[in-house]
Amino acid sequence: MNALRRHRALSRIWASDPGFRGWFTTVNHNDVGRMFIVTSVFFFLVGGILAMLIRAQLATPRSAFVGPEIYNQIFTMHGTIMMFLFAIPLIEGVAIYLLPKLLGTRDLAYPRLTAFGYWCYVFGGSMLLFSLLVGIAPDSGWFLYPPLSSTLGQPGINSDFWLLGITFVEISAIAAAVEITVTVLRYRAPGMSLTRMPVLAWYLLVTVVMILTGFPPLILGSILLELERAFGMPFFQVEHGGDSLLWQHLFWLFGHPEVYIIFLPAAGVISTILPVMARTTLLGYGWVVAAAIALGVLSFGLWVHHMYVTGIPHMGVAFFSAASTLVAVPTAVQVFAWIGTLWKGQPQLRLPMLWILGFFVTFVIGGLTGVMVAIVPFDAQVHDTYFIVAHLHYVLVGGFVFPMMAALYYWLPHVTGRKRFFKLGEAAFWLIFLGFHVTFLALHWVGLLGMRRRIYTFDSGQGWELVNLISSIGGFVATIGFGLVLVDIIVNAVVATRGVRNPWGAGTLEWAMPTPPPAYTFASLPSVSERDPLLKEPRLGVGLAKGEGFLGDPSRGRRETLCVETASGRPAYLVTFPDNSALPFALSAVTGGIFLGMLLKAYWLIPLSILGIVALGVRWVWTTGADRDRGPMDVGRGVSLIPAEEAEDPPGWWGSVFLLLADATLFGSLLFGYAFLWTVAPNWPPPSYLAPDPVAAVLAAVGGLVAVAAFRLAARALEQGGSAIGWLILAALGAGAVGAAAISVMVARPDFTAHAYDATLWVIAGYVLLHAALAVLMALFLAARGWLGFLGPRRRGPVRVGQIWADYLLVVAAIGLGAAWLPGAFA
Amino acid sequence: MDTLSTVHPAGPAAAVVAVMWWVLLVGSTLIFLFVMILLAAAFRQRSAPIGPAHDSGRERLWIMGLGLAFPLTVLAALLAYGLVVGERLAPKPHPDLVTVGAEASQWTWRFTYADAPGRETWNVLHIPAGRPVDVEITTTDVIHAFWVPRLAGKLDAIPGHVNVLRIEADEPGEYHGVSSEFSGPGYRNRRFLVVAHPAADWTAFLNGEGMDE
Ligand code: HEM
Ligand SMILES: [Cu+2]
C-alpha cells in the first residue's frame, strides 16, 4: 500500500460527516479543537466590546453614557466572559487541537467526551450571552460575593444566570481535564517516556490536574449559592447559621489556582516556541518542569491573599503572605531559564518572538506588582482600587493573551498549511503592545490616588481625569490592533500561498504530518527515542506517511491508536475509538434541561432531564467493548497487543480515577464548608443536632461493604469463567441500602431552611444518595452487559470500573454519614 | 484634590505604607531594568558555545543563581519588611486608645462611640487627633469596607462579624472615606467624612455639644 492509498483509506475511516450535520456529530479533536478556539475568540470579542464600553464610560468624569445598573452588568460580564468563556476554553481548544499531535497519537482518550464538553460550553455560554442581550445579566462582580449576589442583594434572576451558566461551562472544563490527563499519561507514541515528553505536554498535565482539584470548590460554591437562592438553604446567611465568608473561601480556593491554570499553558507555549525561535533547545528542561509542578502545588496555598482585608487572624495572614511571595520563585526559575535559553541560542526576531518579547516586558511588570500586593499592609491600601485592575491585566494580558498571540502566529501555518504573505501582523503587534501599556500603566497611579474599581463614574478634581482619558485612548488603539490581527488571519488563511511542512525547523512531532492536518493526524505512529524527534530525523513525517510506524495498516477499518505504559512509554494495548455520533450533542442538550429547569423554576424539567441523561448515558457506554475475547492483535512493526477492553486498566478505569479525583475534591470542599461554618460562623452550634439512627447506620455499613465485596466477587467469577450477574445484582442491592440510609437523614431533618446545619446535612446526604444511585445503575448496567455476553474471562475491565465507584461510595458514605451523625451522638 | 490619595498620608499607618510604596517602586524598577537588560543582551551578535558541559554551567548561573537564589534573597527581605510593618499597624493596647463603632448598610454608615454611649452620627465619624482609634466595623446587610486612604488601609464589614481597624490622624482636620467593597447600584456614592478634633473639641463632642448631624 503506498502513501496515497493509505491516506485515502484512513481519511475514509476518520472522516467527519459531510456538511451541516458534521458539525453536530464530529468527535475528532481537529474539528472540536478548532471549534473551541473559534468560539472562545468570539467570546473574546464580546468581552472586548464590553471593555470598550467600560473605557468609553470612564473616559471623562461624570459621564452619562450608562448608569450604575447597566455598568454593573457590563464590568461583571466583562470579567466573567474573559475568565470563564474566553481564557479557559481557549486553553482547552489549544490543548485539544495540539496535544495528540505533540504526543504522536491520533486522537484524545475520549473523543465523544471532547464533543460533549464543547456543547456544554456552547449552551452554558449562550445562557450568559442571552442574559447580557436582554439586560438581566449578573451584576455583582465576577466573584459574585453574597449577600450582594444572593436574594438579599439581587432578588432577580441575574445571579442565577451566572451560577447555572458557569457551572454548565465548568462541566466542559472537567470533561476536558479528565480527558487530557488520561491522554498525556497513556496516549503517547511508543517510546515516548515521561522524560521525553514535549515540555508543553508537562505544562498541560499540571494545568488539567489543577482544573480537577481547583474547579470543584467553585462548582460546590455555585451549587450551594444556587440552593440558597432557589430554596432558601441558608449557607451564606449569617442569621441562620451561614456565613458569607464561606463563599469567599470556596471562590478563591478556585480563583487563585485559576490564575495559574491560565498562566501555565501560556508558559508551556513559551517554553515550546522560544527555543525554536532561538534555534536551540530549552535550557533546564527538568528545572522548568519542576517549576511548573511547584507552581501548581503552591498555588493552592495562596487563596487567602484575596481576603487580606476580610479580617483574617494575624498569624494566618502572615503565613499566606509568605506563601504568596514564595510563589514568585518558580516563576523566576522559568523566566530566567527562558532568558538563558535565548543566550544559549541565536534568537531571531520573527513575529512569534516579537510577541514573546511583549510577554516578557508586560508579565515581569505584572509579576512585580503581584509581589507588591502580596505584602499585607500595601494590599490593604490598594485592594479594590485601579491598582489591582492594572495589576491583573498586566498578568492576564501579558501572561496569557500575548503568549497566545505568539502561539497563534507560530501554529497558524500548521492549521492552514499556508505561509504568511501579507504582513499586517507586525503592525498589529505594535498597536496592541503600545495600546495596552498606554491603557493600563498609569491606572496603577490613579489606584494609588484612591480610584476604586467598579465605580460607574467619578468626579473631577481628584487628579484622575487625564489618566482615565489616556487610558481610554490606549484601549481603543489596542482594539484596532486586535481588529487588524483578525483581518490578518482571515486574509492569510484565504489567499496566502502554500507553505512548507516545518516552517520553523521545530523538533516536536506536530510538524511530522501534512498541513493542514488530515483527520487521522498520523498515517502511522512514530517510535520515539528522544525529546525532539524531528531535529535528528527531519524527514520523519515522510516515513510515517509511508506507513513505517505503528498501525500503518488501516485494513481493520476502525479508528485505532495505542496506549502506552505511563512512565516508560512501552506499548500496552490497542484502542479502538468510537465513530461520529450525535450523542454528545444530545446529551449536553438534555443536561441543559436541568440548568434551564433551575433557571426558570420549572422544576418538573429536572427529573425529566435526569431520565434522559440516564438513557443517553446507557446508550453511550453500550457502544463500547466487544462481545467476545479477541486476544492480541497485530499493530505493525512485528508487535501484537491486546485490545483495550481486555486490559486490567482500560481507558474507562483511568478516566474514572481522575473524575473521582475531582469528585473527591468537591466532597472535601463540602466537608471543609461544614467545618468552616462550625468553627467560624457566628450562629453555631445549631439549636439541635440530628439524632443518630442505628438502623440506618447498620444499613449503610452493611450495604456499602456488600457492594464493595460483590464487585470483587463478580470480577473473580468472570476470571474463573463463571457468570457475574448474581454478584452484580447483589452489589446493586448493597448500594441501594446506602442510598436508603442517606434518605433517612433528610427525612429526619425535613426543614432545610431552618439553619445552615440542616441545609448542610441535606447536601451531604444528597451527595451520598447520588453516588449510591450511580453505583446501582452501574451494577445493573454491568449485569445486563454480562447477560448479553459483553463480559468474559478476559473482559473484566468494565467490572473493575464499577468497582472503584463502589469503593468510593463506601468511603463517602462512611465519612459523610459519620459527619452527619457523630455530633448528635456526642451531644 | 488628593482627598483619597494613599500617597498623601495624614496618619502614621498610611505614612508607613506610602513610604513602602516608594521603596517597592524603586526596587521593582531596578529588577525590571535588570531583567530587560539581560533580555536585550541575548540579541547581541555572538556565537554561544554549545554542548552539555556548557549547559550545566548555564543552569548553575541562570536557574540556581538568577532563578532561585536571587528571588529568594529579595523576597525574604521584602517579606520581613512587610511583616514588621504589619505587626506595627496591628491594633495593640494603648493608654490613649479610643474605640468607635462603624456599622455599614446600603448605603449609609452609622457611627457610635464607646466613650459616649447612645451617641450616633451618620456618615461623619468624629475622632480625636493624635490618638489611636480602634474602629469596630460591621454591617447590617451586604459586605462593605471601611477605608480612609489618608489615614490607613481598608478593612471589610462582614455580616455577623466585627473587624477592628486601627486608625490615627496626625492633625485635626477632615479626611474623606469611602466604602471600597462593591455593594450594588449605590456603591459609587458611598462616602463618609472623618473629622479629627483637637483634644478640647473632642471632649466637647463627647459631652454632646455640636450635635448637628
Ligand atoms: C485591552 C483589553 C481590555 C481592557 C481595555 C480591559 C478593561 C478593564 C477595565 C477598565 C476593568 C475594570 C472595570 C471596573 O472595575 O469597573 C476590567 C476588569 C476586569 N477585566 Fe479587563 N480589560 C481588557 C482585557 C481583559 C482580559 C484579556 C481579561 C482576562 C483574560 C480581563 C479580565 C478582567 C477581569 C477579571 C476584571 C474584573 C471584573 C470585576 O471587577 O468583576 N480583561 N477590565
Ligand atoms: Cu491569587
Side-chain angles (χ1 to χ4, degrees), chain A residues 62 68-69 72 75-76 139-141 143 145-148 152-153 238 243-245 248 280-285 287-288 308-312 314 317-319 321-323 325-330 332-333 335-337 339-349 353 357 360-362 364-365 368-369 371-372 374-385 387 444-445 447-459 461-464 680-682, chain B residues 1-8 13-18 20-22 24-25 27-29 31-51 54-56 58-59 61-64 66-72 75-76 78-79 81-83 85-90 106-107 140-143 145 147-161 163 178-191:
Chain A
R62 286 274 173 199
E69 283 78 13
N72 296 350
F75 76 73
T76 301
D139 58 0
S140 22
F143 34 74
Y145 281 176
L148 185 63
L152 175 67
V238 73
D243 195 331
S244 60
L245 279 177
Q248 298 197 19
T280 181
T281 52
L282 182 64
L283 178 71
Y285 171 94
W287 284 99
V288 170
Y308 281 158
V309 300
T310 58
I312 301 282
H314 205 54
V317 166
F319 170 82
S321 182
T325 42
L326 198 64
V327 79
V329 174
V333 167
V335 167
F336 286 110
I339 300 182
T341 306
L342 292 178
W343 278 60
K344 171 181 154 194
Q346 266 116 35
Q348 295 169 324
L349 259 190
M353 189 67 215
L357 291 181
F360 273 111
V361 175
T362 315
V364 170
I365 296 178
L368 289 167
T369 53
V371 172
M372 295 184 193
I375 307 295
V376 183
F378 184 71
D379 183 66
Q381 279 290 27
V382 297
H383 180 81
D384 267 317
T385 69
F387 190 93
H444 291 105
W445 182 244
L448 287 165
L449 291 183
M451 181 164 167
R452 293 167 292 162
R453 67 194 279 196
R454 298 174 169 178
I455 50 174
Y456 73 98
T457 187
F458 57 92
D459 293 319
Q462 302 179 94
W464 304 348
V680 176
Chain B
M1 189 82 182
D2 303 332
T3 50
L4 292 173
S5 168
T6 63
V7 288
H8 295 83
V16 175
V17 179
M20 180 180 251
W21 153 247
W22 296 112
L24 291 173
L25 179 65
S28 300
T29 310
I31 296 175
F32 176 73
L33 291 176
F34 174 58
V35 177
M36 288 306 118
I37 290 169
L38 290 180
L39 192 61
F43 284 84
R44 80 209 128 90
Q45 289 296 323
R46 68 185 152 36
S47 55
I50 44 174
H54 295 287
D55 272 8
S56 77
R58 287 195 182 99
E59 281 184 18
L61 169 66
W62 288 101
I63 292 173
M64 296 182 201
L66 289 169
L68 288 172
F70 169 56
L72 276 173
L75 292 173
L78 189 62
L79 185 66
Y81 178 32
L83 291 182
V85 170
E87 195 54 44
R88 186 128 47 92
L89 299 185
Q106 281 176 328
W107 285 276
T140 61
D141 43 43
V142 305
I143 299 174
W147 189 34
V148 188
R150 297 190 60 205
L151 298 186
K154 61 185 70 67
L155 200 58
D156 280 355
I158 313 258
H161 296 265
N163 286 330
V178 282
S179 175
S180 60
E181 178 63 58
F182 180 64
S183 54
Y187 175 60
R188 184 184 97 78
N189 296 317
R190 289 288 282 110
R191 299 158 196 285

Side-chain angles (χ1 to χ4, degrees), chain A residues 206-231:
Chain A
V206 177
T207 306
V208 292
V209 173
M210 288 178 69
I211 290 182
L212 292 178
T213 46
F215 278 37
L218 174 68
I219 296 176
L220 176 75
S222 303
I223 293 173
L224 297 186
L225 186 49
E226 183 55 31
L227 289 175
E228 171 173 310
R229 288 179 53 86
F231 305 119

Side-chain angles (χ1 to χ4, degrees), chain A residues 44 51-52 54-55 71 75 78-79 82-83 141-142 386 389 392-393 396-397 401 440 453-454:
Chain A
F44 179 66
M52 287 309 100
I54 295 175
R55 282 314 333 163
Y71 186 81
F75 76 73
H78 164 71
M82 287 298 191
M83 300 302 273
W142 84 282
Y386 263 83
V389 173
L392 78 91
H393 286 86
L396 286 170
V397 176
V401 178
F440 286 106
R453 67 194 279 196
R454 298 174 169 178

Side-chain angles (χ1 to χ4, degrees), chain B residues 46-131:
Chain B
R46 68 185 152 36
S47 55
I50 44 174
H54 295 287
D55 272 8
S56 77
R58 287 195 182 99
E59 281 184 18
R60 258 200 311 283
L61 169 66
W62 288 101
I63 292 173
M64 296 182 201
L66 289 169
L68 288 172
F70 169 56
L72 276 173
T73 326
V74 175
L75 292 173
L78 189 62
L79 185 66
Y81 178 32
L83 291 182
V84 168
V85 170
E87 195 54 44
R88 186 128 47 92
L89 299 185
K92 274 192 282 296
H94 192 287
D96 279 345
L97 187 63
V98 173
T99 302
V100 299
E103 186 187 76
S105 47
Q106 281 176 328
W107 285 276
T108 53
W109 285 95
R110 188 172 75 91
F111 297 109
T112 54
Y113 303 87
D115 296 331
R119 191 78 198 267
E120 288 181 354
T121 55
W122 272 270
N123 295 329
V124 180
L125 170 64
H126 297 270
I127 60 169
R131 285 172 67 182

